[in-house]
Amino acid sequence: MHRSLTLTWQFYRPFLYYHLIFTAFGLFLIVGTADAIFLALPTKLLSYGGMVFYQHYLHPQEYFYYRNAGTSMRRVYALALAADLLAFVTVATVCLLLTK
């Protein structure tokens, strides 16, 4: 499991600032108006689509590194996106509770 987490972190690290920008934008929508919470989640999902597009179509040769390490790409994507979504939902919930 430790190896999978390390490989997932290596996969996710180049996209960290990209996701932080979308997270900040989503939180801005939540804090700006509480009614815009339905826009925050699609914004975050749009960032996931951008990451998948970038990785799958522009840098597919990097998949060989993860496959040779014995980890499937589905697992790497699932761990990276699940951890990011969990962090986003947690921070968004705290921000929503603090604004009310």
Side-chain angles (χ1 to χ4, degrees):
M1 185 67 178
H2 176 68
R3 183 177 65 189
S4 293
L5 293 177
T6 303
L7 290 172
T8 301
W9 175 246
Q10 288 176 353
F11 175 77
Y12 183 73
R13 190 176 26 197
F15 301 104
L16 183 63
Y17 294 118
Y18 172 75
H19 285 290
L20 286 177
I21 290 169
F22 275 91
T23 299
F25 182 68
L27 293 177
F28 174 74
L29 290 175
I30 291 172
V31 172
T33 59
D35 296 335
I37 194 163
F38 65 91
L39 292 175
L41 191 59
T43 301
K44 194 64 178 165
L45 294 176
L46 181 67
S47 75
Y48 295 154
M51 182 185 97
V52 170
F53 172 78
Y54 177 81
Q55 189 69 27
H56 187 71
Y57 290 106
L58 300 178
H59 293 285
Q61 67 275 12
E62 291 182 14
Y63 288 153
F64 295 120
Y65 172 76
Y66 300 103
R67 289 181 185 150
N68 287 338
T71 303
S72 71
M73 286 311 299
R74 287 184 182 177
R75 183 179 185 139
V76 171
Y77 272 117
L79 285 173
L81 300 180
D84 188 66
L85 186 62
L86 179 66
F88 175 72
V89 168
T90 303
V91 171
T93 303
V94 169
C95 285
L96 191 62
L97 292 174
L98 290 177
T99 58
K100 287 188 175 188

